[in-house]
Each structure stands twice: as structure tokens, then as C-alpha cells.
Amino acid sequence: MRSALTHARLAGLIVAFAAIGFAVNLVTPVVPSLLLWLPTAASGVVLTLALVHTARSGALAKPTRQFWLRLSVGAAGATFGLMTQGYDVWRHPDVPGSHVTPLMVVGAGLAQLFIVFAMLGLPTSDGRPGDTLRLLLDAGTVMLAVGVFLWHFQTRHLLDGGGSGLIGSLLLTATGVVAVFAVMKVIVVGDRYVDRKALRLLAFGVLVGTLAPSVQPYLQTGHPGVFATMVGNPACFFVATLAAQQQYRAGRSGLRAGEPRRPFSVLPYAAVVAVQGLLLWSAFHSGLSDDLLVVVVAVLVTVLVTARQVTALIENGRLVHRLDHSASHDPLTGLANRSLMQRRLTELLQEQCELPVAIALLDLDGFKQVNDTLGHGTGDRLLVAVARRLAESVREGDVVARLGGDEFVVIMADATADTADAVVRRMIDVLTEPVQVGEHTLPLGASIGIAAAGNGIDAGELLRLADIAMYAAKELPGSAHVHYRDDLDSSRTVPVPA
């Protein structure tokens, strides 16, 4: 922990020195240019050491250590590339432009490659398809916003510099893409393997490093030899060093967060506001060469955010439907549960007209033995098969419900005694066929009690009568069904089969 603090304090001192020197040279260029480039190299070395130190922490999980080690390679590449840029500025102070050298392109490319490699290597929990779509829409929105800002304030100015300017513009555009990728990864990864504060610091650091050159066109004319990156790069490296320190501290403290990512992110909405602000800026400064581009991007980000909201509303609707379904249906079989069955039966009894409502209460024979000998998993699969067969054997509009265990109820509206008999016989026919569950062929049997509603009877009383008839059916051999009659009572005397 002491080493991590040392790296952060040293990086802070370096960025403070860079900021002071930069501010002084804005007023009077008295600080040598080379001296103002040294903080970039020094802070880059400190960052690389801090990342390696965090990657070697034994308190971190393997994916976390790999993440920080890959970032250290990227930091080393970025430091090398920026040092070559500073060297070129020092050697050729009178040459205007961004001083993008081939070695700088190599170093920056290496940095971007390993940053992306590190981010992609972070495991993320599996999400719903709607989450993935919203993530892509969010990323597209933020990327468009960052891209148009880079173009308006930075890239279009660099294109005037010929080949070097073109390379610099491409390099900065790629860096902006990496920044967007890093920010969006913060949203999706949560803090499963990497501390959330550390991820936020990393994303902020990358953004600082990306956006710092945006002010360069305003410095080039009045302050030759003064580059915004002289303080922007050390600031970026300092924030990244703080991120490494945060991860080391969180790991050494034994913190292991695993919260899922939040479904809401303010970033795409902030991107829309920023682009709309840029659109207003362009309107007040009419005649700018990229007015049309800003308008197009403003429309596109608005469309993307609207699409994101639509997908969120659709997903929320599906979630509400699933919640409603789970509250009224059995989670194992998908049939109506006791609550929905009672509600539907009560409604039918209240609406009953000429033909009566009948219910069939079914209990499987031998189900307890299946559970005891073959396990509850086999019993559950048997119940699913029974539920499917029952649903296929009843009439359209009949309600099949599972009360619990191996008890099922079928509600038949407008059912005469003959109609109920016909439905129940079909149920017995499909249930007498054995069920194949894995390697086991399981014979089926059922005892069914039938009760028809009379005047003034409620749902609870009708179920009680069907229960009496069902227990009477159990006293008959094989699969059987019995209609409730007045002579059947709780003593369950041996009845005459229906």
C-alpha cells in the first residue's frame, strides 16, 4: 500500500510541476520546451510502475491481474510515443504542426491495442439481449458525440497540416474511439473483477488524454511551442495512477464487489446535450465549414437515444408481463396457480347462466414413490409431462391449474355432466400412457373427482366437493373418476364408479 501511495504522490507532484510550467509559458515563454516535455515521460514511467505493482498483488483475482498488466504495456507504449513527439518538438521548434512522428504512431498504436485488449479481457456477466442492444445504442451515441467534438475542435484543423496532420487526425480519432470504448466498458462490467472507482478513474483519465489536444488550435497561433498535451498527458497519467492505487487498496482490503451493472446510464443523455450545445454554438457562429456535419450528428444522436428509450420501454413491458405471469402461474409447469384458479373459478361462478360450471380435481397415483426412489428432479420432469398432457386434452377455454405437489384442477365452463365425463376420460387416456423421463419409463395413473356448481355455491365449497369425490375415486382400482353425490361424505365410503 505504501508503494501505491508513493506512485500516486509522485505522479501528483509531476502534474503540478507541468501545470505550473505550462501556465508560466502561456504568459511568458521562459521555461525551456524540453523541461515541459519531461513531466510526460516521468509521469508515464511512474504510471507503468504503478500498474505493474498493482498487477503483482496477490490479493487480486487472475483476470484482474491480467487486466492491469496489459494496461501497463499500453502505458509504456504511450509513454514511448509521447517522448518521441516531445523530442521532435525540441529538435524542430520552428516547425509548426502536431509533430506526429512514425515512432509516436507506433507507440500510440501499441497503447490503444493493449487498452482495448485489457478491456475486452474483462469477463462480464451474461445479460439479456435487450441489455446488449441498449449498450450498443449507448456506445454509438457517445461515440458520435465524441467524434463530432474531436472533428470540430481538433481534427479538421490538423488536416491542414498535410501528411503529418492527416496521420495525427487519424491517431486522435482512434484515441477517441478507445476513450468511448473504455467509458462504455465501465458501464457494462460493473465491479465484478475491477474496482468500480478504479474503472471510473481510468475512463476519466483516457478522456482527459483524448480531449486535451482539443484546445491546441487555440494555442498554436499565440503561443508557439506550447502544447496542451504538456499538461494533459501528465494529468491523464496521474488519474490512471490513482486508478491503480484504488485497485490495489480495494484488493488488499479484501473487497469483492459483484453488483450487476446499472440499467441506466447518464452518458448517452449527456452526449445529446453536448451535441445540441455544439449545434447552438455553430448556429451563433454561422459559416463554419462543418455546420452540416454537426446538424447530422445532432439528429443521429437524438435518433439513437430515442431508439434506446423504445427498447427500454419494450423490455420493461416484457418484464412486467413476466412478473404478472409469475404471480399467477406455477413456475414449474407454467399452468395457472392456485390464486389464478380461484379467481377464474369465482368469476365463472358469478357469471354462470344456463349451463353449470364443473371442476375436476386430479391427484396422481404413485407420485410419492417416484420422488422417494428416483429423486425430486425426476418427479419435477414427470409433473411437467403431466401438465403438458392435461393442457392438450381439455377443451379450448378450459383452465388447467396446479394446486401444488401432484394435485391439478381443470375448470370447465358451460359443462354438462356428459361434457365433463368426456373431458375427464380424455385426461385419463393421456395419463395412462407411460412417461419417459431420462432412462426411466414411468407408468401413470390418476384419481379424479368431479363436482358441478349448484345455486349459491362458492369456489371454496366447490373445491371441497371435488376433493371428496377425488378421495372416493382413490378407493377404486386403477385410474378412476367419480362425480360428487350427496351420499358421499367425509367418511369416503366406497362409491359406485361414475
Side-chain angles (χ1 to χ4, degrees), residues 9-25 31-40 42-43 230-231 234-235 238:
R9 289 170 179 170
L10 185 57
L13 291 175
I14 293 172
V15 75
F17 173 80
I20 293 172
F22 178 81
V24 168
N25 270 20
V31 181
S33 176
L34 178 62
L35 197 59
L36 287 183
W37 280 105
L38 287 179
T40 295
S43 59
M230 289 176 171
V231 67
F238 169 61

Side-chain angles (χ1 to χ4, degrees), residues 236-252:
C236 170
F237 292 161
F238 169 61
V239 175
T241 303
L242 291 177
Q245 174 193 324
Q246 171 63 28
Q247 179 64 76
Y248 188 86
R249 184 194 64 80
R252 297 300 292 183

Side-chain angles (χ1 to χ4, degrees), residues 332-344:
L332 176 63
T333 63
L335 298 177
N337 60 15
R338 180 184 291 271
S339 174
L340 178 59
M341 181 275 300
Q342 290 180 331
R343 186 166 68 248
R344 179 57 178 157

Side-chain angles (χ1 to χ4, degrees), residues 221-276:
T221 303
H223 305 277
V226 178
F227 289 80
T229 51
M230 289 176 171
V231 67
N233 291 331
C236 170
F237 292 161
F238 169 61
V239 175
T241 303
L242 291 177
Q245 174 193 324
Q246 171 63 28
Q247 179 64 76
Y248 188 86
R249 184 194 64 80
R252 297 300 292 183
S253 299
L255 300 179
R256 287 292 184 273
E259 300 176 5
R261 79 176 186 91
R262 293 175 297 175
F264 174 79
S265 171
V266 72
L267 284 175
Y269 305 98
V272 171
V273 173
V275 173
Q276 298 297 335

